[in-house]
């Protein structure tokens, strides 16, 4: 007779997963807090999205549309896509999980990069597969390192483009080269959570590559530039073969009605998005110059956040800076878990928050 455990036992590998730790929200004992740790927009959501959210409160007794058709059509309209190739998720996190659970199993491998978004590894391991981490170059995804790591066991390749927490990007020519080098049964997942912020002519989020291939998907989110992180709205643009497979295990009502309503209104309000981007461009430039002027190094960023590197000398390490900033109410993101123990990631905040961080870090660096 086999021995029965005296409590339920998770599948092998589940207890090896380090659970995701979100950005800090509180600064104990500080009255006024500026949360700059989760890449949320300082401008909030479009008033039109907020109004649509309020309207939806009148019908909370009804199940939402399980196909989220209104939202998919709104996204399709703005991006010039076919709504049939769009799937919405409870945050893009859900979609990243679905793709792992559909395409990975025991014995499979999925490739991630050195400073890649931590959710990939969690979902790969959650599906019982192995995450193969490859090095980045200058905090940037290295296409050749990925191609060198592909084996017969590889089923998925995850790239955040632009990267989080690095803020760097891979030009479209390199993404095409990467795709061309992958076997046809390997899916390239292009996670373009910060695509709206990128102002580079050699960047593409992935729409064209998805449109012309059966093994590429692009994930996007409403949590950043659209200011709807609380509602959890992500979307995937993908070929019919992949969306059909994902749809089979997707929760039948994974998108809630207020999210569908607010998301549809938000994406139609591109004027609001334009304002958010303008604010970001202005302050990214000011922040980078100010940090460099006080002797800090920053990784050039195309997103709404910036990776700040601290000098090893004088004991002025990132963790000291983190504590000092927090004591003043400025909450940045420690990125030790991303293999960056001596850096902090700062989201571009409101004018008041940005000025406060500049002044506080200046004080920390002893130059004020
Ligand atoms: C690279 C990347 N992908 C995905 C996400 C998750 O987005 P969502 O809020 O849509 O789940 C984030 C959020 O921080 C991110 O940085």
């Amino acid at each position: 007779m086999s021995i029965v455990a005296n409590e339920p036992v998770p599948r092998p590998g589940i207890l090896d997963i380090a659970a995701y730790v979100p950005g800090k929200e509180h600064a104990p004992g500080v009255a006024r807090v500026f949360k700059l740790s989760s890449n949320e927009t300082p401008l909030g959501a479009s008033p039109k999205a907020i109004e649509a959210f309020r309207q939806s409160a009148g019908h909370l007794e009804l199940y939402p549309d399980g196909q989220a058709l209104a939202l998919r059509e709104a996204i399709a309209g703005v991006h010039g896509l076919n709504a049939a190739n769009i799937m919405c998720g409870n945050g893009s996190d859900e979609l990243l999980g679905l793709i792992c659970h559909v395409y990975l199993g025991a014995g499979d491998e999925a490739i991630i990069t050195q400073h890649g978004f931590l959710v990939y590894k969690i979902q790969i391991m959650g599906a019982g597969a192995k995450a193969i981490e490859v090095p980045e170059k200058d905090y940037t995804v290295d296409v050749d390192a990925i191609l060198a790591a592909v084996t017969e066991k590889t089923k998925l390749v995850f790239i955040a483009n632009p990267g989080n927490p690095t803020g760097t990007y891979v030009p479209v020519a390199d993404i095409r080269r990467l795709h061309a080098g992958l076997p046809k049964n390997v899916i390239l997942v292009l996670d373009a959570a910060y695509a709206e912020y990128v102002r580079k002519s050699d960047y593409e989020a992935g729409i064209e590559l998805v449109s012309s291939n059966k093994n590429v998907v692009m994930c996007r989110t409403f949590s950043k530039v659209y200011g709807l992180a609380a509602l959890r709205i992500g979307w995937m643009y993908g070929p019919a073969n992949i969306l059909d497979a994902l749809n089979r295990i997707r929760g039948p009502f994974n998108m809630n009605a207020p999210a569908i309503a607010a998301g549809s209104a938000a994406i139609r309000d591109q004027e609001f998005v334009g304002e958010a981007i303008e604010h970001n461009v202005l302050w990214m430039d000011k922040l980078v110059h100010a940090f460099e002027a006080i002797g800090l190094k920053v990784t050039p960023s195309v997103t709404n956040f910036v990776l700040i590197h601290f000098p090893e000398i004088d004991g002025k390490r990132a963790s000291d800076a983190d504590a000092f900033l927090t004591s003043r109410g400025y909450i940045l993101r420690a990125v030790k878990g991303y293999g960056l123990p001596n850096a902090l990631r700062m989201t571009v905040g409101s004018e008041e928050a940005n000025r406060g961080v500049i002044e506080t870090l200046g004080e920390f660096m002893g130059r004020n």
Side-chain angles (χ1 to χ4, degrees):
M1 213 178 83
S2 62
I3 298 167
V4 176
N6 60 5
E7 60 178 315
V9 179
R11 272 191 287 112
I14 296 293
L15 297 183
D16 297 331
I17 297 172
Y20 186 80
V21 182
K24 269 192 303 189
E25 282 179 67
H26 303 292
V30 183
R32 186 116 191 270
V33 164
F34 296 92
K35 183 172 178 242
L36 306 168
S37 57
S38 299
N39 301 338
E40 297 142 332
T41 172
L43 301 192
S46 152
K48 291 178 181 159
I50 294 169
E51 180 51 29
F53 176 82
R54 287 210 174 97
Q55 293 283 330
S56 73
H59 301 286
L60 296 185
E61 75 283 10
L62 300 177
Y63 275 96
D65 168 18
Q67 305 299 321
L69 191 60
L71 179 55
R72 286 168 45 224
E73 285 182 341
I75 295 168
V78 169
H79 286 277
L81 306 174
N82 183 346
N85 292 102
I86 293 171
M87 177 187 278
C88 294
N90 191 245
S92 45
D93 284 345
E94 183 191 18
L95 300 167
L96 297 169
L98 277 179
I99 201 151
C100 289
H101 287 275
V102 168
Y103 287 96
L104 298 175
D108 291 334
E109 294 177 353
I111 298 176
I112 57 174
T113 66
Q114 188 179 0
H115 306 297
F117 186 46
L118 288 176
V119 167
Y120 310 149
K121 188 171 183 180
I122 291 173
Q123 294 296 346
I124 293 163
M125 291 173 76
K130 193 168 169 193
I132 306 294
E133 187 180 300
V134 305
E136 297 191 3
K137 245 191 211 161
D138 295 333
Y139 305 106
T140 307
V141 166
D142 178 355
V143 162
D144 295 305
I146 294 175
L147 288 173
V150 174
T151 71
E152 279 174 9
K153 295 177 182 168
T154 309
K155 297 287 158 36
L156 298 177
V157 172
F158 283 96
I159 299 185
N161 194 28
N164 171 19
T166 56
T168 60
Y169 76 104
V170 182
V172 63
D174 289 330
I175 297 289
R176 286 204 196 105
R177 187 162 63 82
L178 168 61
H179 175 258
L182 293 176
K184 295 232 180 307
N185 68 324
V186 174
I187 298 175
L188 176 60
V189 181
L190 298 171
D191 179 357
Y194 301 92
E196 288 83 359
Y197 290 105
V198 186
R199 293 279 161 282
K200 298 281 179 189
S201 56
D202 60 351
Y203 172 81
E204 275 180 28
I207 288 176
E208 207 187 301
L209 212 55
V210 172
S211 300
S212 47
N213 291 285
K214 284 187 160 184
N215 66 336
V216 187
V217 296
M218 172 190 75
C219 292
R220 303 283 285 261
T221 183
F222 280 69
S223 302
K224 310 299 170 184
V225 82
Y226 291 105
L228 293 175
L231 291 184
R232 314 301 302 123
I233 309 171
W235 59 280
M236 176 186 283
Y237 176 53
N241 55 307
I242 295 179
L243 293 200
D244 172 59
L246 299 194
N247 255 319
R248 288 165 197 262
I249 67 159
R250 176 176 66 82
F253 303 104
N254 63 329
M255 299 301 295
N256 66 76
I260 293 171
S264 307
I267 198 160
R268 289 202 176 96
D269 191 354
Q270 288 296 315
E271 202 181 316
F272 183 84
V273 173
E275 286 164 22
I277 290 168
E278 214 174 289
H279 173 88
N280 193 65
V281 170
L282 178 81
W283 277 100
M284 176 61 82
D285 194 52
K286 284 186 197 283
L287 287 167
V288 168
H289 281 101
F291 295 151
E292 286 176 346
I294 55 171
L296 292 166
K297 274 201 187 123
V298 293
T299 299
S301 169
V302 296
T303 64
N304 68 332
F305 57 85
V306 60
L307 191 62
I308 311 168
H309 303 269
F310 288 82
E312 299 279 348
I313 44 159
D314 300 341
K316 290 188 193 327
R317 299 181 55 83
S319 53
D320 299 338
D322 192 20
F324 189 67
L325 285 160
T326 302
S327 73
R328 303 285 176 93
Y330 301 104
I331 303 183
L332 275 62
R333 179 62 163 260
V335 281
K336 207 172 162 190
Y338 285 93
L340 299 161
N342 207 25
L344 293 177
R345 190 192 69 193
M346 175 192 175
T347 308
V348 174
S350 63
E351 173 169 356
E352 188 184 3
N354 297 335
R355 289 196 192 282
V357 172
I358 291 170
E359 201 183 306
T360 309
L361 273 181
E363 205 180 313
F364 177 77
M365 295 294 288
R367 304 275 178 100
N368 270 357

